[in-house]
Amino acid sequence: MTLRHFLADDDLSPAEQEAVLDRALALKADPFSDRCLAGPQVVAVLFDKPTLRTLVSFATGIAHLGGQPLVVDGNLAQVGVRESIADVTRVLTRQAAAIVWRTFGQDRIVEMARYATVPVVNALTDDYHPCQVLADLLTIREHKGTLAGRTLAYLGDGANNMAHSYLLGGALAGMHVRVGTPAGYQPRSDILARAAAIAAGTGGSVEVTDDPVAAVTGADAVATDTWVSMGQEAESGARRGGGSPFAPYAVTPDLMASAPSAVFLHCLPAYRGSEVDAAVIDGPQSVVWDEAENRLHAQKAVLSFLLDRSGTRP
């Protein structure tokens, strides 16, 4: 069998993505039905960036699967500084059944996968957040019944990891993905092209617009994210302050009125009064707490899938 990793959303085929979501729903219904990490086997979980939901959901999920999470503080390990990524990977892969890494550049996790002999999972990089988008798709599926043909609107910074993963993950699911973002903050052109090519084969579509109302109108799901991603703190004043280019893309009750049947998604942490009004995130259209819980189920399904496809399940 071929060793499988999950470094970006399109490391899964459309059929595989659907299978992972099916597995996530089954594990949500019966949380301890899959013991693929029984032993317990160890999964190394590395964090170079701040975390709450990622740490809680992976640690809990690994335990549910019969394993033991080994949480590594990236500030102490200094992967790529104190030791090379290659050397760290060679150490971890002799002791862990899988490696989960939340880091900065996508090149770092790609390099880790190059030297790994166990599955590597992207728990967030500057370019992608694929586990989060699986959880979001699972949430939409639970509330809307299907994904194919549904419209997902994302508002805010179109050049960040959530926008990139929504484009790829939504296209894989056969959704119509609209990104509403100001000029100068569009998604990376190569990622947009990849998403468009995938959508052409799944019946979905991708669109980028600077009109927030056009992006949202008639959508089945509306999503946003903080306007200041990790690593952009120095730009906080310009991004959140008066005259922010993102101000017209704030998700307000008036904007949600253009999508009256939509569910509202946010990967959290949320800044009420900035990218989203409290009346929306705490209102009846919000499913953010279901979405946060679904990180657990989606990530369990990903780990189980990767171990199966890599032939490393005990």
Side-chain angles (χ1 to χ4, degrees), residues 215-236:
V216 166
T217 298
D220 298 289
V222 175
T224 191
D225 187 17
T226 177
W227 295 339
V228 184
S229 295
M230 286 175 280
Q232 297 175 333
E233 290 80 7
E235 303 173 39
S236 179

Side-chain angles (χ1 to χ4, degrees), residues 33-44:
S33 58
D34 189 332
R35 304 289 285 176
C36 61
L37 293 170
Q41 296 190 74
V42 166
V43 174

Side-chain angles (χ1 to χ4, degrees), residues 3-9 11 44-49 54 58 79-80 84-86 88-89 92-93 98-131 302 306:
L3 180 63
R4 295 291 300 272
H5 305 296
F6 189 47
L7 310 183
D9 305 77
D11 282 341
V45 189
L46 287 71
F47 294 103
D48 295 343
K49 290 188 174 188
T54 301
F58 267 112
V79 182
S84 70
I85 292 172
V88 169
T89 306
L92 292 177
T93 56
I99 303 171
V100 176
W101 197 10
R102 182 179 177 94
T103 191
F104 291 90
Q106 182 71 10
D107 60 310
R108 288 167 62 78
I109 201 164
V110 168
E111 184 175 358
M112 177 171 278
R114 185 177 304 124
Y115 291 96
T117 57
V118 297
V120 175
V121 178
N122 180 351
L124 176 145
T125 62
D126 293 342
D127 287 347
Y128 307 106
H129 201 352
C131 288
V302 165
L306 293 175

Side-chain angles (χ1 to χ4, degrees), residues 18-299:
E18 184 177 15
V20 168
L21 293 175
D22 287 344
R23 191 174 300 208
L25 284 172
L27 288 170
K28 187 170 185 176
D30 191 357
F32 306 107
S33 58
D34 189 332
R35 304 289 285 176
C36 61
L37 293 170
Q41 296 190 74
V42 166
V43 174
V45 189
L46 287 71
F47 294 103
D48 295 343
K49 290 188 174 188
T51 179
L52 172 65
R53 280 152 297 279
T54 301
L55 171 56
V56 171
S57 56
F58 267 112
T60 302
I62 291 162
H64 281 192
L65 295 171
Q68 176 69 42
L70 172 64
V71 177
V72 179
D73 182 342
N75 292 321
L76 292 176
Q78 298 182 48
V79 182
V81 178
R82 181 170 174 268
E83 291 185 82
S84 70
I85 292 172
D87 285 357
V88 169
T89 306
R90 291 183 180 109
V91 170
L92 292 177
T93 56
R94 289 177 175 237
Q95 302 182 51
I99 303 171
V100 176
W101 197 10
R102 182 179 177 94
T103 191
F104 291 90
Q106 182 71 10
D107 60 310
R108 288 167 62 78
I109 201 164
V110 168
E111 184 175 358
M112 177 171 278
R114 185 177 304 124
Y115 291 96
T117 57
V118 297
V120 175
V121 178
N122 180 351
L124 176 145
T125 62
D126 293 342
D127 287 347
Y128 307 106
H129 201 352
C131 288
Q132 178 66 59
V133 166
L134 279 180
D136 292 6
L137 295 176
L138 181 63
T139 306
I140 297 168
R141 184 165 150 179
E142 285 182 315
H143 286 270
K144 295 296 182 179
T146 58
L147 293 175
R150 299 284 183 184
T151 297
L152 167 63
Y154 167 82
L155 297 176
D157 184 355
N160 75 5
N161 50 15
M162 285 303 301
H164 292 160
S165 279
Y166 276 132
L167 285 163
L168 293 171
L172 284 166
M175 301 183 77
H176 304 292
V177 183
R178 303 178 192 153
V179 175
T181 190
Y185 296 92
Q186 288 87 0
R188 240 174 53 194
S189 59
D190 61 316
I191 295 174
L192 185 61
R194 275 163 51 200
I198 293 167
T202 62
S205 64
V206 296
E207 177 185 356
V208 178
T209 177
D210 62 1
D211 183 340
V213 175
V216 166
T217 298
D220 298 289
V222 175
T224 191
D225 187 17
T226 177
W227 295 339
V228 184
S229 295
M230 286 175 280
Q232 297 175 333
E233 290 80 7
E235 303 173 39
S236 179
R239 284 174 170 263
R240 285 207 192 107
S244 166
F246 301 115
Y249 302 86
V251 183
T252 64
D254 285 347
L255 191 60
M256 288 297 289
S258 297
S261 63
V263 294
F264 172 75
L265 301 163
H266 194 306
C267 63
L268 303 175
Y271 299 89
R272 291 165 174 80
S274 183
E275 74 273 5
V276 60
D277 280 8
V280 174
I281 194 170
D282 300 318
Q285 289 177 270
S286 176
V287 294
V288 297
W289 312 119
D290 292 344
E291 177 189 7
E293 177 192 339
N294 281 339
R295 287 288 300 277
L296 167 65
H297 312 300
Q299 289 161 186

Side-chain angles (χ1 to χ4, degrees), residues 297-313:
H297 312 300
Q299 289 161 186
K300 287 169 64 178
V302 165
L303 285 169
S304 174
F305 173 86
L306 293 175
L307 291 172
D308 277 347
R309 293 303 176 95
S310 301
T312 54
R313 178 189 282 261

